[in-house]
Structure formats: C-alpha cells, structure tokens
Amino acid sequence: MPEIAGSPSADATAVPVALDYDGGDMDCGSGLLLAITSRMRRIEEGEVLLLHTRERSVLADLPAWARLAGHDLLAVVDDAAGSGPGPWRLWISRGQAGDKGTNRSAAPLVAYSSGSPAPVGTRLWLYSNFHCNLACTYCCAASSPHADPRLMTVETAVVAAEQFVSQGGQELLITGGEPFLHPHLDEIVEGTSAQVPVTVLTNAMVFERGRRREILESFDRNRVTLQISLDSADPGLHDRQRGAGSHSRALDGIRLARELGFRVRVATTYLPQDAAAAGDLHGALAALGIAPADRLIRPVAQEGYADDGVEITLDSVEPEPTLTADGAWWHPVAVTNRHLRVADAPLPLGHVFDVIRDVVAVQSAGGSQGRAVFRCT
C-alpha cells in the first residue's frame, strides 16, 4: 500500500472541490481512468476532483497514473475508519493544462483495455460475412443491412482452421457483419471449433428464436465463447451508436447466452470523449455476471464508417492476421483499408503469415518502434 494511504492533513481535505465523481467498483486497469481523464479535462489547472471508490486496487494504481498525467494526488481518506475495506475518497489536483487547441492527439492518457502482442501465427480472425442487422456509426467494416454479404464459404473457413492449427494456431475468432446472419454459421463453427477454440463476435440481437436459436444451442460450450457488444451501462450511448432499442436487446442476448451455459465476453467501444456517457459499465456487467477478465473497453478505429478514432497503419498497430472471403488483412479493424490488404485471397494461410512476418522483420531491422496492441477481444 502506498504511503498516501495514511491520514491526510486537514488542509488537504479542506480544499474546494471543483468536481465530484463516484467511480464505484471500477479499477484503474479498465474504465476508471477513462472516466477520470474525461473529468479532469473539464476542470482547470489547480482545481480538484474528488474521487469516490470502493475498489482497493485504486489506492495502489492511481498514484502512478497521477504522476504520468502530471496531476497531484493530495489525500486519501478511508471512510470505513478501519472497520472494513473502504470506501475511500481521493483528492486529485489537476496539473498543468495541456494544449487546448483542436489537436486531440495531445489529450491526457486514456486507458483502454490493453494486452501483449499475439505472435503471428497464434491468433486468426475470420470475417464470416459483412452484412448486419445494424449500421453502427463507428463500424470499421462498414457493415449494414445493405452491405454486400461477402459470405465466407464453409470450406474456406474449415481449411483455414486446419492450416492454422498445423502451424501452431491457438485462437480463432469469427466476426462480421453479424455472424448469425450467415446461413451456414453452424457448419462453420462446428468445423472450426472441432480443431481450435473459437470466439464468435455478435451483437446478440438475432439469435433469440427460430433457426438462429437452434444454431446457437448447437455450439459446444467447451469450445465456443461468445463476445457480445455493449457500449454503455444505460441505453443512451449504446443506442446512439447502434440504433434505438439495441441496448435492451443486447442485454437480453447476454442473459440468454449465459442461461444457455456459454462463457460470455462483453466488448465496449467508444471515443475518449464519450467515456462519461458509458456510465458504470463495470457495475452493470458485474450485475450480469460477467467476470472482470471478460470485459473489454476498446477505442474506435478510424476505419469504415468512423470519421474519428485511432489511426490504423502498419507502423502503428500490431498485426492480427484476418481473412475475408476475398482476401487477407493486417488487422480485423482494417478490412476496408486497401493499404492494409496482405493478399488477394485468404488461402494458403502460410503465405499470409509469411508476408506479415516479413513486414515485421523489416520494420524491426529498421528500428521501427511504437506499434500498439489494438485489442478487439
């Protein structure tokens, strides 16, 4: 526990508070730093944010963030007075204000979910299709009900999985579009999951009944994980990005998937300025029974329909090989970017991996550094 956990001076806790924020159970490794960063930009240099938290790890992690961001952690008070673990109050003084111009690249640190690079050959993405029941405002794949389906065949998917496993592949991810709109998704999942663990990414809005419900129930719970999109704790932001009523239906889909015995991951996507609108995601997901390790908060990629977000280039983003019906790509968020097309056909997979490895080797030899992991799962 850091030294600041001791009793603060009376002066430290008596300073005027410009903004008060309840971080609930969120930790610094996920949504809390997004929320704090957003609020620190709303106060002036030298003004104070009062943070309330029930998460003990914040006491150890927040001082490091404050130093990196140039803020001062003035005091920490344990409101339980030793009778239990928290809750706590933390006084944070905003440091020197940064550039207030239009260059958003100079914004303070925003902490999305992070991870280590996946060595090329260990993870593979398949786009089963490109049409979708939704037309999300930030969709990197430019999917919609009117998009060309570009259906991947069952044979291509199964052969890709075979070649992937033969080269040491460990994790296969099936995305879209909305995969449950693929007429043969059951065959694709059965043929691939028999060889390697599979995660299916879905908006969870179309599998509640009928043939698609049958397909869902046919999946092997020990081999198939579902990753469901939910962009905010309350409907506001999620429905603004994905369409009216989609938040409620996504919640219904999460509950159904869990009732059927699936491991469910939940992925949240938003721009930094929308962090506050996302609300207490971790509290909402905890109430749904989603484990902390299965919660992902990711930025918008400036691809497809998105006019803003993280720029995706060979030099900026670690590769995650991705196959579509008509080609191979550097990363799953880059399938509308012709500059990041690796091959004009999805197979043979060895060629795709070799091309990516060659590019990485050249970048390394040239001293290229600074690629980030853009987590999609």
Side-chain angles (χ1 to χ4, degrees):
M1 191 60 59
E3 294 179 359
I4 59 163
S7 298
S9 67
D11 290 343
T13 58
V15 297
V17 171
L19 199 60
D20 204 285
Y21 176 65
D22 186 352
D25 297 323
M26 290 192 290
D27 60 43
C28 287
S30 48
L32 182 62
L33 293 189
L34 282 173
I36 297 174
T37 299
S38 176
R39 283 160 178 80
M40 293 301 279
R41 289 190 66 82
R42 290 159 53 186
I43 65 177
E44 299 297 326
E45 180 182 346
E47 290 186 329
V48 173
L49 170 73
L50 176 57
L51 170 67
H52 302 260
T53 181
R54 296 187 296 275
E55 171 55 48
R56 186 179 183 86
S57 66
V58 171
L59 303 187
D61 295 340
L62 193 131
W65 167 81
R67 287 193 299 271
L68 288 171
H71 306 311
D72 294 316
L73 183 55
L74 302 179
V76 177
V77 167
D78 184 347
D79 286 331
S83 63
W88 298 271
R89 286 177 292 158
L90 299 89
W91 282 257
I92 310 163
S93 174
R94 177 168 179 173
Q96 184 175 1
D99 180 9
K100 294 186 177 180
T102 58
N103 181 9
R104 290 296 179 184
S105 64
L109 176 67
V110 174
Y112 290 101
S113 301
S114 61
S116 301
V120 176
T122 59
R123 173 180 284 187
L124 179 67
W125 290 80
L126 303 182
Y127 267 80
S128 59
N129 61 298
F130 279 82
H131 61 316
C132 187
N133 54 302
L134 300 177
C136 301
T137 57
Y138 58 72
C139 182
C140 63
S143 294
S144 77
H146 307 294
D148 181 355
R150 294 166 63 188
L151 298 175
M152 178 171 284
T153 66
V154 175
E155 179 183 8
T156 297
V158 173
V159 171
E162 291 173 352
Q163 295 182 4
F164 181 50
V165 171
S166 71
Q167 298 181 58
Q170 300 172 14
E171 183 182 14
L172 185 74
L173 303 110
I174 298 175
T175 188
E178 170 49 55
F180 279 89
L181 297 186
H182 194 297
H184 304 295
L185 181 64
D186 52 340
E187 297 176 60
I188 289 177
V189 173
E190 179 182 8
T192 55
S193 65
Q195 306 176 67
V196 64
V198 167
T199 297
V200 178
L201 283 72
T202 174
N203 58 47
M205 293 177 60
V206 299
F207 58 44
E208 70 274 14
R209 61 178 63 89
R211 171 63 178 152
R212 292 169 187 150
R213 171 69 175 264
E214 294 175 2
I215 290 175
L216 173 65
E217 294 194 15
S218 73
F219 295 166
D220 184 341
R221 310 306 193 269
N222 295 319
R223 306 288 291 176
V224 178
T225 296
L226 298 179
Q227 179 168 303
I228 297 174
S229 300
L230 187 74
D231 292 344
S232 55
D234 298 316
L237 177 62
H238 182 100
D239 283 4
R240 170 161 63 85
Q241 297 187 149
R242 294 176 172 269
S246 58
H247 184 271
S248 176
R249 294 185 65 187
L251 291 178
D252 289 342
I254 291 171
R255 294 186 186 103
L256 174 60
R258 283 185 48 76
E259 289 170 3
L260 292 176
F262 286 98
R263 177 186 176 186
V264 176
R265 294 175 181 164
V266 173
T268 297
T269 307
Y270 53 66
L271 292 163
Q273 57 265 35
D274 291 323
D280 184 10
L281 272 164
H282 287 278
L285 296 179
L288 290 167
I290 306 301
D294 288 329
R295 306 171 196 168
L296 170 71
I297 299 177
R298 60 194 179 187
V300 173
Q302 193 175 351
E303 298 288 345
Y305 289 149
D307 295 324
D308 197 0
V310 176
E311 184 180 8
I312 307 299
T313 69
L314 292 178
D315 293 323
S316 67
V317 175
E318 291 284 351
E320 293 197 18
T322 302
L323 307 183
T324 68
D326 45 14
W329 310 81
W330 182 264
H331 195 280
V333 302
V335 293
T336 61
N337 188 332
R338 62 186 178 86
H339 299 294
L340 296 178
R341 188 176 188 130
V342 175
D344 293 332
L347 300 173
L349 188 59
H351 171 71
V352 174
F353 286 170
D354 286 345
V355 170
I356 292 176
R357 289 187 180 109
D358 285 349
V359 171
V360 171
V362 169
Q363 290 174 326
S364 299
S368 177
Q369 298 178 357
R371 281 196 310 268
V373 177
F374 190 108
R375 285 192 59 190
C376 287
T377 187

